[in-house]
Amino acid sequence: NMITIVLNGETTQVESDCNIEQLLQKLNIENQRLAVEINQEIIPRSEFASQTFSDMDKVEIVQAIGGGCA
C-alpha cells in the first residue's frame, strides 16, 4: 500500500507504514546529523522509529552541517 509524500519539494512514493527511520535508511542518510520536519513541525529524533507519514505530507530533511567554531 503506497502513499505519496512531498520530500524536499519532490513527490515520492513510500509504503503507507513507512516511518522516518526507514525513509532515512532508504535514502542512505540514517547515520547523519539531520532534522526532519513534517508539515513544518520538527520531529524529535526519539520519534523517528514511531512517526509514520500520511498521504501528501510535506517532509523536509535538513542536514546539519558538521563543524563549529575553530
Side-chain angles (χ1 to χ4, degrees), residues 1-62:
N1 214 0
M2 303 296 278
I3 59 168
T4 300
I5 61 172
V6 181
L7 177 61
N8 291 353
E10 302 213 356
T11 55
T12 303
Q13 299 267 305
V14 296
E15 296 282 341
S16 58
D17 61 354
C18 179
N19 63 37
I20 294 175
E21 206 167 74
Q22 292 166 322
L23 178 66
L24 296 178
Q25 286 171 354
K26 199 167 122 177
L27 299 170
N28 287 324
I29 55 175
E30 73 269 22
N31 295 322
Q32 298 182 26
R33 292 181 54 205
L34 40 79
V36 177
E37 284 183 8
I38 298 179
N39 301 323
Q40 300 182 331
E41 192 180 317
I42 292 186
I43 309 301
R45 186 171 279 275
S46 59
E47 293 177 22
F48 282 10
S50 58
Q51 179 70 50
T52 57
F53 303 102
S54 301
D55 199 41
M56 294 315 291
D57 271 351
K58 285 191 166 54
V59 182
E60 295 286 328
I61 299 175
V62 182

